[in-house]
Amino acid sequence: AQEKEEIDDDLLDEMEEKLIRADLGVDTAVQVIEKLRDNKNKIKPSQLSNYFKDEFKELIKGAGTGQINLKPGQLNIFLITGVNGSGKTTLIGKLAYKFRQQGRKVLVAAGDTFRAAAEDQLEIWSKRAGVDIVRQDDADPASVVYNAIQKAKAENYDVLLVDTAGRLHNRFNLMEELRKIKKVIDREAPGLLSESLLVIDATVGQNGLKQAEVFQEAVSLTGVGLTKLDGTAKGGIVMAIAKELGIPIKLVGVGEKMEDLKSFNAEEYVEALFS
Amino acid sequence: TLSERLQNTIKDISGKGKITEENMNDALREVRRALLEADVSLKVVKAFISNIKDKAIGEEVLKSITPGQQLVKIVYDELVQLLGGQNVPISTEGKPNIIMLFGLQGSGKTTTAAKLALKIRKGGRNPLIVAADVYRPAAIKQLQSLGKQVNIPVYAEEDSKDVRQIVTSAIKFAKDEGYNSVIVDTAGRLQIDTELMAELLILDRLFEPAEKLLVIDSMMGQEAVNVAQTFDEQLGITGIVMTKLDGDSRGGAALSVVQSTGKPVKFAGMGEKMDALEPFYPERMAQRILG
Ligand SMILES: Nc1nc2c(ncn2[C@@H]2O[C@H](COP(=O)(O)OP(=O)(O)OP(=O)(O)O)[C@@H](O)[C@H]2O)c(=O)[nH]1
Ligand SMILES: Nc1nc2c(ncn2[C@@H]2O[C@H](COP(=O)(O)OP(=O)(O)OP(=O)(O)O)[C@@H](O)[C@H]2O)c(=O)[nH]1
Ligand SMILES: [Mg+2]
Ligand SMILES: [Mg+2]
């Protein structure tokens, strides 16, 4: 694309296809490219990379800052939710490690009391990260969260990371369970829910937007954690999530190891999109 | 609906609601948009559109009084045909019969392994499940717990990190103990991870599984075509399992993976319970993709 002198229809089509293949969705891709078409005489092909970076930053800026909310001198609760297999438990392991590296006192709550060996998996992560865990294997998830909050407050933890079972957003009773967990947090630790994060697998298609809509209604999302970005999928649906729902992307998972966690950076993201 | 959108497109252009060669491209653009919104990979959408273009320009649509509905029917029929293939049952070849499951991280392999073992036993065979994921924390425990739920034994070696050795020992164990089907659960992996793809290749060469099933999450987007194609090119898959179909994604990935590999979807994962593994119904999938 750099060899061309001006932006022509072929190049516009090529760019639109790239955006579609990145799972931005047809509407978002068309919108971005139509705006470029209107401005094409003002932009040289060599400037496209910077143009797209600015455009995408503009697209998602309505969603606010991608900074993780962590208040000093108090307990910070993170509620981690999302559909099955998206990477929640692994993300908690990575976050626990990162926060412990920062010298914070971290507790994780094994809120998935349903899936086979879910608590064992989280416990291995908590040991790797060097943090404490609350688990009660046959209990109700809300009860595990309740007990974790009591411990976190009594023993002055800085961070409490709450793991939840994967669930499909079209399962009413499972979303009700999640609302109940949030009610326990709001009642037992008012104002201490610093982040309510939806974990989205970068390979997800347009259904990711629906997931965000439903989880947003159930647990008032403050951000998205985009996982498996070390694969070939680009997770473009997060652009639509930021634009349509105003939910910022805060974290990015780039592998299966404890250190494979980054903050979301719009420039880097767009760079990878067009690389 | 697609039918209404097509009808509006055709009406706008011709003024009388009949498809002509001229407005066909606009109508097909609507079909393309619908398929992309359903997560069918772009490459597959293009091939699909060019295939149905001939059928659509044929006599039937040109003379139809509801060309929009007629075009939708052509799209639906084509989807069913492409998704259908023959209803290929799971192979029982091999002494023991070896079934290997693989795919991306979190796609549902471990859950499917236990479901499949249950189905195989209900079919009168004597299955053994093999825990060959040596990386994921508590992977073995997860499979052992599911094995208990379906009352099927799980072969595992807690301290081994040697997948080749685990599967070799498992097969020997199966032969000695009279298990005639061995279902091997493997670790999730990226199709671009050369080391982990080589691990699968080694297992394939050594044990020649009768079934090599790619497990795909039905909410997958555009990358479905590249993922499936890579696994197929490197391993030669024999079939596909689409999981989490109890969700509300349109499931276009199903068309992407079937078209790019030419292999059939053998099962549909419809939930987290052990009985939630159903045959794959092309008509239902086609309806779902069309929304
Ligand atoms: N390549 C890669 N794999 C990841 C990443 N994050 C998680 N995984 C893998 O994805 C799989 C699922 O991760 P989990 O943490 O168990 O996902 P989950 O959302 O907790 O799953 P459920 O609790 O069953 O819903 C595991 O194999 C992880 O190692 C990532 O950023 N990159
Ligand atoms: N709703 C629903 N959930 C499913 C289905 N199949 C699997 N799951 C869930 O998806 C999540 C991931 O399933 P696993 O079996 O651990 O996936 P996996 O492919 O073995 O994951 P890795 O080994 O980490 O690659 C779990 O929460 C499962 O219960 C399905 O058909 N429907
Ligand atoms: Mg989990
Ligand atoms: Mg597994």
Side-chain angles (χ1 to χ4, degrees):
Chain A
Q2 306 287 26
E3 323 87 51
K4 292 197 172 193
E5 277 304 310
E6 57 163 24
I7 297 173
D8 58 13
D9 280 346
D10 281 348
L11 188 56
L12 285 171
D13 284 349
E14 184 188 327
M15 294 287 116
E16 185 177 284
E17 293 199 352
K18 222 188 232 298
L19 297 182
I20 287 173
R21 289 205 314 274
D23 284 315
L24 261 77
V26 184
D27 284 346
T28 307
V30 166
Q31 178 192 322
V32 170
I33 296 304
E34 283 317 299
K35 183 171 180 190
L36 175 57
R37 192 187 302 272
D38 294 340
N39 292 314
K40 69 178 178 180
N41 296 322
K42 309 185 196 126
I43 303 161
K44 291 212 271 346
S46 57
Q47 298 169 321
L48 270 179
S49 173
N50 285 328
Y51 172 82
F52 279 116
K53 282 180 187 162
D54 291 338
E55 272 309 298
F56 277 67
K57 281 204 208 134
E58 189 66 21
L59 197 76
I60 65 177
K61 78 170 189 194
T65 174
Q67 296 273 34
I68 284 290
N69 181 19
L70 210 49
K71 304 197 192 83
Q74 68 162 66
L75 173 65
N76 290 273
I77 301 179
F78 282 41
L79 177 62
I80 308 298
T81 60
V83 302
N84 307 73
S86 56
K88 300 175 289 301
T89 305
T90 305
L91 180 68
I92 288 177
K94 294 171 179 177
L95 273 173
Y97 173 68
K98 170 180 155 105
F99 291 146
R100 196 181 75 87
Q101 294 291 77
Q102 294 171 349
R104 303 177 201 275
K105 187 172 178 187
V106 182
L107 182 67
V108 304
D112 180 355
T113 58
F114 168 74
R115 206 209 68 208
E119 301 95 334
D120 296 312
Q121 181 188 8
L122 185 64
E123 179 143 18
I124 291 172
W125 276 112
S126 73
K127 285 205 175 69
R128 283 181 182 176
V131 304
D132 304 321
I133 182 170
V134 167
R135 65 182 282 186
Q136 262 171 269
D137 293 12
D138 292 316
D140 186 59
S143 152
V144 177
V145 176
Y146 176 90
N147 289 326
I149 292 172
Q150 305 318 318
K151 179 179 172 80
K153 290 199 292 190
E155 299 177 29
N156 292 318
Y157 282 87
D158 299 310
V159 186
L160 167 60
L161 305 173
V162 180
D163 193 12
T164 61
R167 69 203 66 225
L168 295 181
H169 50 287
N170 55 325
R171 289 285 307 274
F172 181 76
N173 54 328
L174 296 182
M175 294 311 291
E176 276 293 279
E177 176 184 90
L178 213 48
R179 286 184 194 98
K180 183 175 171 200
I181 290 173
K182 178 149 190 310
K183 280 205 184 80
V184 169
I185 296 174
D186 291 341
R187 191 188 65 221
E188 299 300 317
L192 300 183
L193 181 59
S194 301
E195 291 286 354
S196 175
L197 300 178
L198 176 67
V199 178
I200 297 235
D201 184 327
T203 63
V204 80
Q206 298 308 294
N207 196 250
L209 182 59
K210 195 116 192 271
Q211 293 172 21
E213 285 173 18
V214 178
F215 277 85
Q216 162 76 314
E217 181 282 326
V219 291
S220 305
L221 300 173
T222 57
V224 163
L226 182 62
T227 61
K228 310 179 198 174
L229 216 50
D230 46 317
T232 52
K234 306 290 186 196
I237 198 66
V238 297
M239 292 289 138
I241 291 173
K243 176 171 173 292
E244 305 292 330
L245 304 177
I247 303 168
I249 311 125
K250 297 209 171 188
L251 296 167
V252 172
V254 291
E256 302 188 73
K257 301 198 300 302
M258 201 155 58
E259 307 82 1
D260 295 333
L261 180 70
K262 301 167 68 169
S263 297
F264 177 74
N265 178 318
E267 299 227 353
E268 267 183 43
Y269 182 83
V270 178
E271 191 91 16
L273 208 54
F274 288 99
S275 60
Chain B
T1 64
L2 176 62
S3 176
E4 291 163 351
R5 277 157 50 172
L6 285 179
Q7 203 50 34
N8 287 332
T9 306
I10 295 158
K11 241 206 231 105
D12 288 345
I13 309 227
S14 66
K16 355 183 178 44
K18 285 219 183 303
I19 288 195
T20 61
E21 303 235 2
E22 292 78 48
N23 64 30
M24 172 57 65
N25 285 330
D26 293 307
L28 289 181
R29 238 185 136 64
E30 281 300 326
V31 175
R32 166 192 149 106
R33 177 180 264 265
L35 292 176
L36 286 174
E37 286 173 351
D39 290 325
V40 181
S41 298
L42 183 61
K43 175 159 56 168
V44 173
V45 172
K46 287 182 177 178
F48 184 91
I49 297 293
S50 102
N51 281 343
I52 65 164
K53 183 167 187 169
D54 302 328
K55 298 187 176 163
I57 283 189
E59 279 303 313
E60 291 196 53
V61 190
L62 291 178
K63 291 188 173 169
S64 166
I65 51 165
T66 58
Q69 287 177 350
Q70 184 64 13
L71 187 55
V72 172
K73 172 139 186 18
I74 289 174
V75 172
Y76 172 81
D77 288 346
E78 184 74 3
L79 282 175
V80 172
Q81 204 205 352
L82 292 175
L83 289 168
Q86 330 85 32
N87 193 347
V88 193
I90 206 96
S91 160
T92 53
E93 294 294 314
K95 294 204 177 338
N97 162 244
I98 303 170
I99 299 166
M100 190 165 77
L101 298 175
F102 44 84
L104 297 180
Q105 291 88 345
S107 58
K109 300 173 291 300
T110 303
T111 308
T112 301
K115 290 176 180 178
L116 188 55
L118 179 63
K119 195 173 276 300
I120 285 174
R121 194 191 55 206
K122 286 187 174 172
R125 298 181 60 80
N126 190 19
L128 174 73
I129 302 169
V130 181
D133 178 352
V134 301
Y135 312 101
R136 172 174 156 149
I140 292 178
K141 251 198 169 181
Q142 180 187 10
L143 198 48
Q144 286 172 329
S145 168
L146 293 177
K148 280 205 188 71
Q149 280 185 40
V150 294
N151 198 17
I152 291 173
V154 174
Y155 182 92
E157 295 195 17
E158 306 278 350
D159 301 319
S160 172
K161 291 277 171 242
D162 184 344
V163 173
R164 181 200 309 214
Q165 175 268 310
I166 293 170
V167 180
T168 306
S169 307
I171 290 172
K172 172 160 192 328
F173 179 82
K175 286 179 181 163
D176 293 345
E177 303 296 316
Y179 295 102
N180 56 14
S181 258
V182 174
I183 297 132
V184 183
D185 179 28
T186 66
R189 69 204 63 216
L190 300 175
Q191 83 280 11
I192 52 170
D193 185 327
T194 37
E195 235 185 271
L196 284 183
M197 290 304 283
E199 175 184 279
L200 287 181
L201 259 137
I202 288 170
L203 294 181
D204 183 31
R205 280 207 199 111
L206 283 179
F207 307 111
E208 296 181 325
E211 284 286 355
K212 291 179 273 187
L213 301 178
L214 175 62
V215 179
I216 292 264
D217 190 326
S218 60
M219 66 182 88
M220 204 171 176
Q222 291 288 311
E223 273 306 293
V225 70
N226 291 335
V227 171
Q229 215 159 359
T230 305
F231 272 99
D232 188 36
E233 280 166 3
Q234 297 199 17
L235 277 175
I237 74 181
T238 59
I240 297 151
V241 179
M242 296 293 300
T243 61
K244 308 178 202 172
L245 278 166
D246 46 319
D248 60 9
S249 68
R250 297 268 293 274
L255 182 65
S256 303
V257 303
V258 169
Q259 274 301 80
S260 57
T261 63
K263 305 294 163 65
V265 178
K266 297 207 171 185
F267 292 108
M270 297 290 297
E272 297 189 79
K273 298 218 177 73
M274 292 294 101
D275 58 2
L277 189 67
E278 299 183 5
F280 177 72
Y281 298 109
E283 298 89 352
R284 287 188 206 171
M285 196 72 227
Q287 291 239 7
R288 182 178 182 141
I289 289 175
L290 282 178

